[in-house]
Amino acid sequence: MAPSRVKTAFQYFQSAKLAEIKQELGGATSMGQAMTELSQRWKSLDDSEKQPFVELEHQDRIRFEQESAQADALAIQIQEERRAALEMRDGEGHAARGARAKVEEERELKEERKRRRQEATDPELLAERNRMKQAKKQETMERQRLRQQEENLVKERHRKLDKQQTQKAHQRLEYLLKQSSIFAKLKGGPPEQKMAPMSPSGKSHHRDDKVHHDSSDEVDEDDEEEHVFLTKQPSCIKFGQLKPYQLEALNWMIHLAAKGLN
């Protein structure tokens, strides 16, 4: 550890007189004002008045030199010890120096203790220990195999569920395509159906709405149902203009309502 620095004569004078000066100037005196007064008083002293503080500085300088010499000697000693630890001695190799030699020695000692324990152990007991280790290893491998088998079964169940969900979704889509002329139109073009005559409002009339057909047309249609199919926005829908896909959706809901489906 490095020695503390030399304390000057003025610093000794400051330690002795600063508190006294601050008390004389009052409690509201700042440190700057106190130091200014202290410096003026130090300059006003003659050599005989400064001599006690100069003597204290001289003694502290002697202390500093002694401590510095001791610190230097200790640093040199530590440096020499480190250098000696790094030097190769007679009969030693590069791996036998410093900390590496100590680590290698501990490793060899550990291996020697292990070898002695094995030699002192009953061969039957040693064989039993090895057998237990192998059994434990086999149990671990079996648990891993069973866990992998369970994971594969879970994956297979998920795959079947996904397939079932896909089939159900396809069946539902087919059902909607059969029930809705709009979906049938999207899938394979417009359905082949006879368009009902249009009213001035753009809405065709159901046969319940007093639409008259010839008896010959009824025979040709084979009792085919007539459906309301909008080609333009009804006059009852105001405050906006329906887009084509919205008009198709409206036709779909009208068709579902005619079939009694919610």
Side-chain angles (χ1 to χ4, degrees), residues 61-165:
R61 189 173 299 277
I62 295 174
R63 185 269 314 164
F64 174 76
E65 292 176 356
Q66 292 176 351
E67 292 181 357
S68 297
Q70 294 176 358
D72 292 342
L74 181 61
I76 293 173
Q77 181 181 356
I78 294 174
Q79 187 176 6
E80 292 294 335
E81 291 177 355
R82 291 178 178 177
R83 186 181 293 109
L86 294 176
E87 290 179 355
M88 186 182 301
R89 299 179 182 178
D90 295 338
E92 292 183 345
H94 291 283
R97 293 181 299 171
R100 289 178 294 176
K102 185 177 181 180
V103 171
E104 185 66 24
E105 182 180 355
E106 291 178 355
R107 185 183 295 111
E108 292 178 358
L109 183 60
K110 184 177 180 180
E111 292 293 335
E112 180 65 20
R113 287 198 299 264
K114 182 178 179 181
R115 185 182 61 81
R116 290 180 180 178
R117 285 198 304 269
Q118 291 178 352
E119 290 178 355
T121 303
D122 188 1
E124 295 181 357
L125 181 59
L126 187 60
E128 180 65 17
R129 290 179 179 176
N130 293 334
R131 187 189 64 79
M132 292 176 64
K133 289 182 180 180
Q134 291 295 330
K136 187 175 181 180
K137 184 177 180 180
Q138 291 294 333
E139 291 177 0
T140 303
M141 295 176 63
E142 181 66 17
R143 285 197 301 270
Q144 293 177 352
R145 187 186 65 81
L146 293 176
R147 187 183 300 111
Q148 185 65 33
Q149 185 176 358
E150 291 177 358
E151 292 178 357
N152 293 336
L153 291 175
V154 171
K155 290 180 181 178
E156 182 66 20
R157 294 194 195 100
H158 289 173
R159 188 184 64 81
K160 290 182 179 179
L161 290 174
D162 293 340
K163 185 176 180 181
Q164 293 176 1
Q165 292 293 335

Side-chain angles (χ1 to χ4, degrees), residues 194 196-197 205 207 211-218 221 226:
K194 185 175 181 180
H205 294 281
R207 62 184 174 182
V211 176
H212 301 285
H213 299 278
D214 295 336
S215 60
S216 59
D217 293 338
E218 295 177 357
E221 291 176 359
E226 295 180 4

Side-chain angles (χ1 to χ4, degrees), residues 147-261:
R147 187 183 300 111
Q148 185 65 33
Q149 185 176 358
E150 291 177 358
E151 292 178 357
N152 293 336
L153 291 175
V154 171
K155 290 180 181 178
E156 182 66 20
R157 294 194 195 100
H158 289 173
R159 188 184 64 81
K160 290 182 179 179
L161 290 174
D162 293 340
K163 185 176 180 181
Q164 293 176 1
Q165 292 293 335
T166 303
Q167 292 177 351
K168 289 181 180 180
H170 182 71
Q171 293 174 358
R172 179 63 178 170
L173 179 60
E174 290 294 333
Y175 170 76
L176 292 175
L177 289 174
K178 292 178 181 178
Q179 296 296 324
S180 172
S181 61
I182 305 302
F183 282 164
K185 181 179 178 181
L186 293 175
K187 182 181 180 183
E192 296 181 359
Q193 61 178 1
K194 185 175 181 180
M195 299 296 294
M198 303 299 297
S199 67
S201 62
K203 182 171 73 173
S204 63
H205 294 281
H206 196 273
R207 62 184 174 182
D208 293 337
D209 296 333
K210 300 180 180 181
V211 176
H212 301 285
H213 299 278
D214 295 336
S215 60
S216 59
D217 293 338
E218 295 177 357
V219 173
D220 293 338
E221 291 176 359
D222 294 331
D223 297 332
E224 181 181 358
E225 285 191 32
E226 295 180 4
H227 303 289
V228 175
F229 191 85
L230 304 178
T231 59
K232 67 178 183 178
Q233 181 172 332
S235 60
C236 61
I237 300 178
K238 301 178 181 180
F239 306 106
Q241 183 66 31
L242 291 179
K243 296 186 181 298
Y245 72 90
Q246 294 174 326
L247 190 61
E248 291 181 358
L250 184 58
N251 281 321
W252 176 47
M253 291 189 290
I254 293 173
H255 180 62
L256 291 179
K259 291 295 184 179
L261 297 175

Side-chain angles (χ1 to χ4, degrees), residues 11-68:
Q11 290 175 334
Y12 280 107
F13 178 74
Q14 175 183 349
S15 300
K17 300 296 182 178
L18 182 60
E20 180 181 345
I21 293 174
K22 290 180 68 176
Q23 186 176 5
E24 291 177 0
L25 296 178
T29 304
S30 64
M31 179 60 68
Q33 294 174 347
M35 290 299 297
T36 301
E37 179 66 21
L38 179 70
S39 178
Q40 292 177 356
R41 293 188 182 185
W42 172 257
K43 292 178 181 179
S44 64
L45 296 178
D46 56 16
D47 294 340
S48 60
E49 292 175 334
K50 292 181 179 180
Q51 184 59 35
F53 303 106
V54 173
E55 183 66 25
L56 292 174
E57 178 184 352
H58 177 68
Q59 294 177 2
D60 192 55
R61 189 173 299 277
I62 295 174
R63 185 269 314 164
F64 174 76
E65 292 176 356
Q66 292 176 351
E67 292 181 357
S68 297

